[in-house]
Amino acid sequence: MSADVQTRPPVSHVLEVPPPKRKRSNHGSPGGSPSPPPARRRRSASPIPASASAVLDLPRVSDSDPARKRERERQLALRLAESTLDSSQKEKQVFDAQAEFAKLVSSKSGGVYMPPARLRALQAAAAEDKSSPEYQRLSWDALRKSLTGIVNRVNVTNIKDVVPELFAENLIRGKGLLARSLMKAQATSLPFTPVFAALVAIINAKLPQVGELLLTRLISQFRRSFKRNDKNVCHATSSFIAHLVNQGVAHDIVALQMLVLLLERPTDDSVEIAVGFMREVGAFLSQQSPKSNNSIYENFRKALHEGKIDKRVQYMIEVLFQVRKDKYKDNPILPEGLDLVQDDDQITHRISLDDELQIQESLQLFKVDPNFLENEERYKQIKNEILGSDDEEEGSDDDSDDSDEEAKDQEAQEIQDKTETNLVNLRRVIYLTIMNSLTYEEAVHKLMKVNIQEGQEIELCNMIIECCSQERSYSSFFGLIGERFSKLNRVWCENFEEAFATYYDTIHRYETNRLRNIARFFGHLLASDSISWAVFSVVKMNEDDTTSSSRIFIKILLQEMSEDMGLKKLAERFKDPTLAEHFTQLFPMDNPKNTRFSINYFTSIGLGIVTESMREHLQVSVHACYTCS
């Protein structure tokens, strides 16, 4: 027993030197003692193919332990393979750069995500030629992301800091992108609508084409959503338009048209939208168009009394009337901190709800610009004019240089409007102001606030006369407006006198009703001594220089004067020696033929009393002729 123990090798020795490989047997050891467990067979790594070993050129590792040697060689081979694959992929990326550019240019705006490393590589490759389509596409995407980011972070506190950043971007090129970003941001954040409207007002004061495009798209979206019965979109769009009206970007006529449309056939949704819209814009309409504002509230009252709408909507109308009674104290025209544009600097767009709108959807899609560099340089100059360049901020020590720069700036700012857009807008403002006034005093008060440039006073006079002529019958409302203006300033008096001469020369172009209203208007001005009677110097009462229209005009004019003054006082004024020189053509005495024509004309219209001097002159001249003969 001891001999067997002495001849058996130690366990540690058996572990260090494994026995030769053989099949496992269930027989025990010769001595009957259990044999040690056989070592676990370890699978060797798969041999590397010959082609791969030739490509990778595997290095040899010297190590005394074969298993560890094989593991180290395997890990080293994996690292070499990974480095080889990375280098081949980089070569492939450089090779496919043009294909990436072509794919980028042909894709729509806002495509798939591009990793920053690839984007930087494309920017570096495109920067070599800044007029290339690749560079333009990359700059377009950067402009879109920048505008979206600026719009999304604007609020009441930082709007003054955001505006310079916004003007630093090319807003003329990206006006379609800016309009889309503003509409999306406003639709998702309705409480920030006053902030977005204030931002649009600032941009519109410098770049009115941007404000016009946004307003056009908003009106178009309102019309589409109203037809589709999309309440949410209709409410968001109407809220944006209401605040644009408050800011002076949109004219109040579009607000009135929207309210009339919503209340024409009242439903629960349309009345609810109209109530929300009226709460936003009601304070503005009550000041600018009180007459129209009252008619809108009458429509609300009518819808309430009919009782065809839901009780909830009826309660909303009652709340609206209470808001009106409280003078919109919770819904001011311009919230605090958002009155950032002066009234004189703001440009108001008069886009009607019934106009044919050009929303220009292509402006938000990328297009290659053949004059890209020139347009970018041109906008850079516009940006310097808006924000001020560094040279202007630093100033100059030389006074002569300063004066030259100021002269150049003034020349650059002087824009000749050959389309007469501003003139048409001025006439529209005057017309709407007159027609929305209840009394002539209110009309004069509002018209005095209209920004009329020097030399455009005649436009105000012409618009007052045109409004008067459009009425079915003459209204003293217009005559009192003209009288008040003529007595306020001598400039208005001179312009009305000039208008008299112009209308008398072109009176044959007007139909009878308009002719009658114009004649009674000037008759009122002459009877009240608002304009000088010297205007009769343009009237030549003879058969050759008068037409049927001009004779009707003078007839109605003098009859209006005789009704206001009295026939006796009228005749006395015509005999005034200080004005006699201005009546020589009205009462001609140079030719008996013209004298007889004038006598017959005034007698036929019931003013024979003013022909006494002509009759005496005609008798004397005829008696002298008989005496000579």
Side-chain angles (χ1 to χ4, degrees):
M1 190 68 179
S2 62
D4 293 338
V5 173
Q6 290 178 359
T7 58
R8 187 165 54 187
V11 176
S12 61
H13 183 69
V14 174
L15 292 174
E16 292 179 1
V17 181
K21 296 180 181 179
R22 64 179 182 273
K23 293 184 179 180
R24 187 172 181 180
S25 175
N26 294 328
H27 299 287
S29 58
S33 60
S35 61
R40 181 174 296 175
R41 183 180 296 176
R42 183 178 296 174
R43 293 185 178 181
S44 61
S46 301
I48 301 175
S51 59
S53 62
V55 174
L56 298 177
D57 192 13
L58 295 177
R60 298 298 178 182
V61 178
S62 58
D63 198 325
S64 58
D65 188 354
R68 187 170 58 191
K69 177 181 178 181
R70 286 193 299 270
E71 181 65 21
R72 291 175 61 186
E73 288 180 351
R74 186 181 66 82
Q75 293 179 0
L76 183 59
L78 289 175
R79 288 196 296 269
L80 289 176
E82 290 177 357
S83 62
T84 304
L85 291 175
D86 292 341
S87 61
S88 63
Q89 288 179 359
K90 290 181 180 179
E91 292 176 358
K92 185 177 180 181
Q93 287 179 358
V94 174
F95 179 78
D96 294 341
Q98 295 297 329
E100 290 289 340
F101 277 132
K103 181 179 179 182
L104 183 65
V105 171
S106 60
S107 63
K108 292 184 178 181
S109 179
V112 297
Y113 169 75
M114 183 176 293
R118 181 180 295 180
L119 181 60
R120 285 193 296 269
L122 289 177
Q123 290 174 347
E128 298 176 358
D129 183 10
K130 292 188 176 181
S131 61
S132 62
E134 295 82 7
Y135 182 82
Q136 293 185 31
R137 179 53 190 267
L138 292 175
S139 64
W140 174 266
D141 290 338
L143 176 63
R144 173 177 53 82
K145 294 177 182 178
S146 178
L147 292 177
T148 303
I150 292 173
V151 169
N152 288 339
R153 63 186 175 88
V154 66
N155 53 48
V156 180
T157 57
N158 68 354
I159 186 171
K160 294 182 180 179
D161 300 326
V162 166
V163 169
E165 298 180 18
L166 197 59
F167 278 113
E169 305 293 339
N170 192 341
L171 297 183
I172 296 179
R173 184 189 183 203
K175 60 182 180 180
L177 298 175
L178 179 61
R180 184 178 64 175
S181 298
L182 285 168
M183 292 175 66
K184 285 186 176 181
Q186 184 270 339
T188 55
S189 303
L190 293 181
F192 285 86
T193 303
V195 181
F196 294 128
L199 183 64
V200 174
I202 297 173
I203 299 172
N204 182 73
K206 302 299 180 181
L207 300 172
Q209 62 268 37
V210 179
E212 183 179 9
L213 175 64
L214 175 64
L215 181 59
T216 301
R217 291 188 175 184
L218 286 172
I219 295 176
S220 176
Q221 181 172 306
F222 174 79
R223 295 196 308 196
R224 292 198 306 269
S225 61
F226 182 79
K227 291 179 181 179
R228 298 172 182 173
N229 295 326
D230 193 341
K231 177 182 175 182
N232 295 329
V233 177
C234 197
H235 173 65
T237 307
S238 62
S239 178
F240 205 168
I241 295 175
H243 286 282
L244 290 180
V245 171
N246 292 339
Q247 289 285 349
V249 177
H251 199 270
D252 54 355
I253 188 173
V254 68
L256 296 173
Q257 289 178 336
M258 290 171 60
L259 289 168
V260 170
L261 178 64
L262 291 169
L263 298 175
E264 184 178 5
R265 296 176 181 176
T267 62
D268 292 347
D269 291 341
S270 66
V271 174
E272 184 176 350
I273 295 172
V275 169
F277 184 75
M278 197 64 182
R279 292 188 67 168
E280 301 292 346
V281 80
F284 181 85
L285 293 178
S286 62
Q287 292 184 6
Q288 299 297 325
S289 305
K291 187 176 181 180
S292 302
N293 185 62
N294 294 335
S295 64
I296 295 297
Y297 272 100
E298 288 298 325
N299 292 338
F300 276 115
R301 185 176 287 106
K302 181 180 178 182
L304 180 63
H305 290 167
E306 287 178 354
K308 296 181 180 179
I309 54 179
D310 189 62
K311 294 292 184 182
R312 178 182 62 87
V313 183
Q314 293 180 14
Y315 178 72
M316 294 178 65
I317 297 178
E318 294 176 357
V319 173
L320 176 62
F321 277 97
Q322 184 62 38
V323 171
R324 182 194 186 190
K325 186 177 180 180
D326 296 338
K327 298 182 179 179
Y328 305 93
K329 62 179 181 180
D330 295 330
N331 300 91
I333 298 177
L334 296 177
E336 184 179 358
L338 297 180
D339 187 6
L340 303 175
V341 181
Q342 297 181 0
D343 295 339
D344 296 338
D345 297 335
Q346 189 58 268
I347 298 175
T348 303
H349 301 286
R350 291 162 183 85
I351 302 176
S352 175
L353 198 63
D354 302 327
D355 293 345
E356 295 183 1
L357 304 178
Q358 301 292 333
I359 59 176
Q360 304 178 31
E361 292 183 351
S362 61
L363 292 178
Q364 59 196 30
L365 301 177
F366 170 73
K367 290 183 180 180
V368 179
D369 186 3
N371 301 323
F372 176 73
L373 296 179
E374 297 177 2
N375 294 334
E376 288 291 325
E377 188 65 26
R378 189 177 297 113
Y379 182 78
K380 186 177 180 181
Q381 296 176 0
I382 296 174
K383 180 187 69 175
N384 292 335
E385 293 177 3
I386 296 174
L387 301 178
S389 60
D390 297 336
D391 297 336
E392 292 177 354
E393 293 178 358
E394 294 176 357
S396 175
D397 296 334
D398 192 358
D399 296 336
S400 62
D401 294 341
D402 289 343
S403 61
D404 294 339
E405 290 179 0
E406 291 176 0
K408 291 180 180 179
D409 292 341
Q410 292 178 358
E411 292 178 358
Q413 292 177 0
E414 291 179 357
I415 302 174
Q416 294 183 355
D417 185 10
K418 295 184 179 180
T419 62
E420 295 186 351
T421 303
N422 294 334
L423 186 59
V424 173
N425 292 338
L426 175 62
R427 291 172 179 171
R428 188 175 297 175
V429 169
I430 295 172
Y431 173 78
L432 294 174
T433 303
I434 294 173
M435 302 309 292
N436 288 330
S437 300
L438 295 176
T439 62
Y440 78 94
E441 294 177 344
E442 178 185 352
V444 173
H445 179 70
K446 289 182 178 180
L447 290 173
M448 291 297 294
K449 292 183 179 180
V450 177
N451 185 19
I452 300 177
Q453 303 295 331
E454 185 178 357
Q456 292 183 337
E457 294 87 356
I458 189 65
E459 298 298 333
L460 174 62
C461 301
N462 290 336
M463 283 306 302
I464 295 174
I465 300 170
E466 289 294 329
C467 292
C468 177
S469 67
Q470 295 291 340
E471 296 293 320
R472 292 186 178 180
S473 59
Y474 173 73
S475 173
S476 60
F477 170 79
F478 300 97
L480 292 171
I481 293 176
E483 178 184 354
R484 178 60 62 88
F485 269 105
S486 299
K487 294 180 178 180
L488 280 175
N489 196 327
R490 181 63 186 173
V491 175
W492 303 110
C493 179
E494 294 175 354
N495 281 278
F496 275 114
E497 293 173 358
E498 180 182 349
F500 178 88
T502 303
Y503 276 94
Y504 180 75
D505 292 338
T506 59
I507 199 64
H508 58 278
R509 301 176 184 175
Y510 296 91
E511 58 185 12
T512 305
N513 186 62
R514 298 186 64 185
L515 183 149
R516 181 181 294 106
N517 291 344
I518 295 173
R520 296 189 65 180
F521 174 83
F522 282 111
H524 177 88
L525 294 185
L526 288 167
S528 60
D529 285 329
S530 300
I531 59 176
S532 174
W533 286 38
V535 296
F536 283 111
S537 59
V538 300
V539 181
K540 297 179 181 180
M541 189 53 63
N542 55 67
E543 188 176 0
D544 298 332
D545 294 329
T546 59
T547 61
S548 59
S549 298
S550 63
R551 290 192 289 269
I552 295 173
F553 176 80
I554 296 298
K555 170 189 173 182
I556 299 173
L557 173 73
L558 294 176
Q559 288 178 348
E560 178 71 17
M561 293 174 63
S562 64
E563 290 179 3
D564 292 346
M565 301 175 60
L567 189 58
K568 183 178 180 181
K569 189 176 181 181
L570 177 65
E572 292 177 356
R573 289 296 300 273
F574 275 126
K575 295 177 181 179
D576 189 350
T578 59
L579 298 173
E581 58 180 351
H582 301 294
F583 302 148
T584 55
Q585 300 294 332
L586 184 62
F587 307 123
M589 299 182 184
D590 54 346
N591 190 344
K593 178 182 177 182
N594 296 338
T595 305
R596 289 192 184 93
F597 181 85
S598 180
I599 292 172
N600 294 333
Y601 172 77
F602 286 108
T603 303
S604 63
I605 64 174
L607 295 176
I609 189 174
V610 300
T611 64
E612 293 179 355
S613 58
M614 289 190 294
R615 292 176 184 275
E616 294 177 358
H617 173 75
L618 186 60
Q619 291 179 357
V620 171
S621 60
V622 170
H623 181 71
C625 289
Y626 286 144
T627 304
C628 294
S629 60

